[in-house]
Amino acid sequence: MATTIRRAVIPAAGLGSRLLPLTKATPKEMLPVGDKPVIEHTVRELIASGITDITIVVSEGKSLILDHFRPNPALVARLRADGKTAYADAVEEVGELSWQGHITYLDQHGPYGNGTPVLNAARNFGDEPVLVLWPDDVFVATVPRAQQLIAAYEKTGCPVLALMPMEPADSVRYGVPTVNEDLGSGLLRIGGLVEKPNPADAPSNYAAIGGYVITPGIVDELAEQTRRWYEHRSGEIYLTDAINAYAAHHAVYGKVIQGQWYDTGNPLAYLTAQFAAALADPEYGPHLRRLAADQPDPTTQP
C-alpha cells in the first residue's frame, strides 16, 4: 500500500435539509463563512496539506460548486480593464485552485448514505490511502486538520479518524469511539464507534468529527455493504459502519485534532461559524465587537 496520501474525496451531494429553506436553491457547500464558501475552506485545507488530486462528489443542483472553482478568464479580463485589479486577482486565484488540487467532479449514484460517495470515487484509488473530508466543516488550526491526519497515517499505516474532546452530554450528537490504547500525542487506537450514545453509555469523551484517512480495506467493507443493500433494498450505506466492520479485525486509530472546529450543518452552528469568522477578520472584527457590545440583552427587557 502507498505510504503517501495524495488523493482526497469531498462528499458534496447532500440536500442540506437542516438548513432549508436557505439551501433550497443554494447548495449548503456554497454558503459563505467569512469571505469564502464553506467548501472552499475544505479545498484550501487539502491543498495546503499537500493533496494533489481532489474528487468532489456532487448531485443534481450543485452546479454552483463547479462554477465557483472554474476559471473565468473573461471576468478577470473585464475586471482588469475596469481597473479593479484586486477583484481580478481574487477571482483568478480561486480559479487556480482547480489545477492546484486537480479538482474533478463525480455524480453520486447508488444507495443513500455518506459511504456511497466514497465508494463512487474509489475506482480511482487503487491501493492508495485517501482523505475524506466533509464540506460543511471549517477548522482553524496552526497545522491543518488534514495534515494532522496525514501525519497520523504515516506513523501507523492504518485508517485514521479525526477526533475532538467533547462534553459528556454531547455524546447524543456524535459517533463516539471506543478507545483501546492511548499512544500519546493525541493518537489513540480505537475499537470502533458507537453512534450517538446516551451519556451513560458513551465509551469515551471523544467525538468523531468527520475527517478520515481510509484504506482499501474500508472500501472493501463499503462495497460489501452496498452488495447486501442491493439484495435487501433497506437501510443506508454509512462510512462508520464500514469502519466498525474493519476495526473488528484490523487496527484503526483516532487522532485528536489540535485546533478550533466549526460545524456549519445546522442554523445555530452555521451562524456561530459565520460570527467567529467575522470577529477574526482584522477589518470587520473591531466594528462587530462594538456592535455586539451595544446590543441590549433581550433576557433583561421588560
Side-chain angles (χ1 to χ4, degrees), residues 7-28:
R7 297 185 184 275
V9 176
I10 302 176
L15 296 175
S17 55
R18 291 183 295 168
L19 289 165
L20 286 169
L22 184 60
T23 51
K24 178 176 179 290
T26 303
K28 67 175 182 177

Side-chain angles (χ1 to χ4, degrees), residues 30 56 58 62-71 98 105:
M30 289 301 298
I56 301 178
V58 296
K62 303 284 184 159
S63 60
L64 285 179
I65 297 174
L66 283 68
D67 291 340
H68 179 71
F69 290 110
R70 182 180 292 123
S98 288
Y105 301 91

Side-chain angles (χ1 to χ4, degrees), residues 178-191:
T178 299
V179 177
N180 292 346
E181 185 180 5
D182 187 337
L183 302 174
S185 302
L187 187 62
L188 310 172
R189 180 161 177 173
I190 65 173

Side-chain angles (χ1 to χ4, degrees), residues 20-128:
L20 286 169
L22 184 60
T23 51
K24 178 176 179 290
T26 303
K28 67 175 182 177
E29 299 84 4
M30 289 301 298
L31 297 178
V33 172
D35 60 353
K36 301 175 182 66
V38 63
I39 194 171
E40 186 180 328
H41 288 276
T42 304
V43 167
R44 288 181 180 276
E45 177 185 353
L46 290 169
I47 292 172
S49 300
I51 297 299
T52 57
D53 289 273
I54 299 171
T55 300
I56 301 178
V57 183
V58 296
S59 58
E60 184 180 3
K62 303 284 184 159
S63 60
L64 285 179
I65 297 174
L66 283 68
D67 291 340
H68 179 71
F69 290 110
R70 182 180 292 123
N72 192 333
L75 176 58
V76 170
R78 178 171 179 176
L79 290 169
R80 294 201 189 284
D82 291 343
K84 299 176 180 178
T85 303
Y87 293 138
D89 289 346
V91 171
E92 192 169 50
E93 195 260 347
V94 170
E96 290 173 351
L97 296 175
S98 288
W99 61 263
Q100 291 173 354
H102 190 225
I103 298 175
T104 57
Y105 301 91
L106 183 67
D107 286 328
Q108 177 163 310
H109 59 87
Y112 186 81
N114 63 23
T116 293
V118 178
L119 189 59
N120 287 170
R123 72 186 77 173
N124 300 317
F125 296 171
D127 65 349
E128 295 186 47

